[in-house]
Amino acid sequence: MTVTMRSGAHGIATKRSVSVLDIIEWAFQREKVGIDFDEIERETGAKPGVGMEYILMEQARLGCRVQGGGTSSAHHDADIVASTLAVLPESCGGRRMAIWIAELARSGRAPEWRSELQVRPRATATNRHGTRARTSDALELGSVGWPHQARRKRNGSIAMEPVLYSPIEIRPTAREIASMRRGYLQWWSALLEIKSALQISHLTSHVVTNVMPPSAPWKKTA
């Protein structure tokens, strides 16, 4: 969808409607902008974290935009995207979140919120025959293990031998899955903040819509 706006004697100017994720990926993939946190302070006199609204008002007052920090001449809107990420509030993750969002955008990825369950040995041993799972005495498992078993040796004597098993682990753990989902939710919340800021920014060629990635994709039902 596109939005048209009259531009006086210059006729009709067309703006492209995009989601916040689309414009961020466009800025970092196609326009190849970078984030220069120090440039925010140089241009506006404000330190990152003072609030997006203040930075945007300063941009409007100065009649200019904060450069995104790229070495080449990037599109005006791409620079706005970069500068918006550079002033991401600490409540939304600050600089570390901004860098993470940019890294994900460059590769066209979203944060991992799930992973295929894997069953693997807790420890392995490698020799000339290859790599194998380490074994342990099942007696160590206590009431759920197996006691040593009697085996008659060639000379007729009885030997008590351990029952061996391979300890395994299942990954990711419930704690790891919860951590992945928290990270996704923090990323999504930061995008929501960026969306609101870009919707009131001085974008020349784009209109940022309310379209957002799923807030909790793991809640989808088949």
Side-chain angles (χ1 to χ4, degrees), residues 76-108:
H76 171 276
D77 291 358
D79 280 330
I80 290 291
V81 170
S83 64
T84 302
L85 263 69
V87 294
L88 192 66
E90 287 300 322
S91 60
C92 292
R95 292 185 174 188
R96 187 162 69 172
M97 177 59 72
I99 293 170
W100 190 34
I101 291 173
E103 289 175 347
L104 290 171
R106 288 190 183 100
S107 59

Side-chain angles (χ1 to χ4, degrees), residues 163-212:
V163 176
L164 301 179
Y165 79 104
S166 297
I168 63 169
E169 61 182 7
I170 300 177
R171 305 293 295 273
T173 64
R175 179 175 295 180
E176 289 170 336
I177 292 173
S179 177
M180 292 165 64
R181 292 181 178 180
R182 282 195 302 272
Y184 182 96
L185 289 172
Q186 291 166 354
W187 170 81
W188 188 91
S189 297
L191 287 188
L192 186 64
E193 181 79 9
I194 295 167
K195 174 184 73 69
S196 299
L198 291 177
Q199 286 175 334
I200 59 173
S201 293
H202 303 285
L203 299 176
T204 59
S205 302
H206 299 84
V207 173
V208 177
T209 67
N210 287 323
V211 175
M212 289 282 293

Side-chain angles (χ1 to χ4, degrees), residues 12-38:
I12 302 297
T14 301
K15 286 191 174 185
R16 181 182 172 216
S17 294
V18 293
S19 70
V20 62
L21 189 55
D22 285 340
I23 196 171
I24 293 174
E25 290 183 346
W26 164 80
F28 286 95
Q29 288 180 20
R30 181 173 173 179
E31 296 300 312
K32 301 187 184 305
V33 294
I35 305 175
D36 185 347
F37 296 106
D38 295 331

